Amino acid sequence: MFLGIDIGSSSSKAVLLDEEKRVLAEEALNLGTGSNGISQVLEQVYSKTGRTPKDILYSVVTGYGRNVYKGADAQVTEISCHAKGVTHLFGEARTVIDIGGQDAKVIRLDGEGNVADFVMNDKCAAGTGRFLEVMARVLNCDIYRLSDLAAKSLRGTQISSVCTVFAEAEVISQLSLGSKVEDVAKGALQSVAKRVCGQARRIQVAPQVVMTGGVALIPEAVHMVEKELGEEIAVPGSPQTVGALGAALFAWEKYHR
Amino acid sequence: MEEVKKTSKQIMNEMTRDVYVRAAEAKKAGKPVCWATGIAPQELMTTMEIDTVYPENFGAAMGAKHLSGPLIEVAEEQGYSNDICSYARNNFGYVDVKHVDDPVNLPMPDMLLCCGNSCNTVIKWYENLAKEMNIPMLFLDTPYNYMDEGASEHQIRFMEEQVYYMISQLEEITGRKFDYDRFKEVMEISMQTGEWWLKAIGVAKHKPSPISGFDLFNYMGIMVCDRGRPEARDLFKQWYEESMEKVARGEGPWKDQEEKYRILWDGIACWPQLNLTYRTLKKYGINMVASNYPRLWMITYDSPTIASMVRAYSENVGANREIPFELNAYLKDTETYHLDGLIYHSNRSCKPMDFKQYAIRKVVIEKTGLPSVIFDGDQTDPRVFSEAQFETRLQALVELMEKRKEGRKEDE
Ligand code: SF4
């Protein structure tokens, strides 16, 4: 059995694969680096499969917390892991858009599971899940509810600040001036979509485009990115665990080398 | 007792400090001190024996010593935007506090020498200093070279005239005559220093390279501050010879790590994280063998004349040239230095260098297939850099370089 672990800034994910690279268990938990999220998520995959750490032949860790985690046999960057995971699920994929808690990255694939090029956001949280979390808090709703709200809006409010802190202040003042909650929700999603598509264009987007990460669970966010890019987007069944899946696939490869 | 010969590294460290010691002594003795931009015609000041210090060099030192943060904050408190180059912010902060807790300090200037070849920021920066301190500013305007072939004849004449004007300014300020014979000598020394500098940094083309690329960043300070002095020329010559001996012995950059990958570093160093970036690179066996930043001081010219000198200050500086100039240098570097990859420092401070990055990177990928990554940082503002983000990009670069090596092995 092969284990892939992805410790992100705000969530922990694990995937267990069997010898035939079939997924035995995949779990994600919204607790990231510095928490006990990873041990919780590992307990979950073990109890689901009835296995123990002893059954693991090889494990690979990825994500922001990969350097600190000591329990894995090897570590690989989240860039290579996402490329690997997406190619496994979608053989035709050429572009990956991954928006996580504090990271947004766009990866161009070479068709064989390798990274051809990639871009990542800079130190600022604009265009990441964190931006949406802040917006959801201002709107007093769950981050996933942003989607339902946005779907009801005819026209998104323009949020001109890219900086999350300024955008929060801007949105509060817009709400006080009478902007509708639905329009602000749509504006927030549009802002993230614009930002990530700006990144994507730097490395040439080619179909098929696959979206992963927590933000891919928000249907309206995916829809906005589609509109902004002018490309249809595929979303895997479990978008949050694609990096961990890639890590598990690396574990399989490293074991069989 | 036999005298032990100093290594070039020892001499370099001493010289780096002496620049400031000399200037402080001059100041004490009531002699004028000049502040100059990084790539300005020091030949004039050296001829006139006016001690010159370089706020950009000082800023880099402050960054490396973790003293730049507080200076930058002082400047920002005064209202300077955090979008302004952090070398400038460092200096504005320093002008206010006039002292840092370090053996090396910057004596206040009596005049300024500014050359526009690196960016527009330096012009506004120095005008600002001149106005605030009410001191003269000598200025060499080097029109931007839009043409691939470099400066035109009328541009050269324009710059020559300015040099004559600066000489008259200097004579007026000091009350001394300008010695043209000495000037010729200084130009000759500067030319030789430039050549030895290029030879010395060129040693990195050997595989493995005995120079760990961060040496380029360290020795560069001498090229900035001292290139008109014979000691600088002799230092680079000695460094070259020492390095060539290491080449002959097959030595790499480190004793405890192998040189696995060879990269070009685009842009200025992250001075506050110099150690950290160096250690991280070394951890993966990555040696920075080339960089466009030290190469900015490619002030080599072929005859000791004003025309030839101003041509070098205008044409040889990548920041004063269109993209093809630097692009060609990069493409050449990929072969000369046997590069495995490139790392681009998207430096929040230096817009003229950043603006070209994506275009250059795109063509380098198309033409050579070499992998590269971009990371965010700043030359001296310690707040911009993120260690985790840097390492992720670097590790991704290693994975890409490794993949490429594997692919090549399979092809063989
Ligand atoms: S770092 Fe860039 S912006 Fe700053 S002075 Fe140098 S060339 Fe100009």
Side-chain angles (χ1 to χ4, degrees), chain A residues 41-54:
Chain A
V41 102
L42 285 176
E43 256 169 49
Q44 287 177 5
V45 290
Y46 289 131
S47 73
K48 259 211 174 132
T49 51
R51 309 288 178 93
T52 70
K54 279 200 211 83

Side-chain angles (χ1 to χ4, degrees), chain A residues 220-242:
Chain A
E220 274 303 300
V222 178
H223 184 61
M224 304 274 177
V225 177
E226 276 182 332
K227 260 177 82 178
E228 189 66 34
L229 272 189
E231 289 286 348
E232 232 174 84
I233 288 178
V235 178
S238 172
Q240 272 187 296
T241 53
V242 176

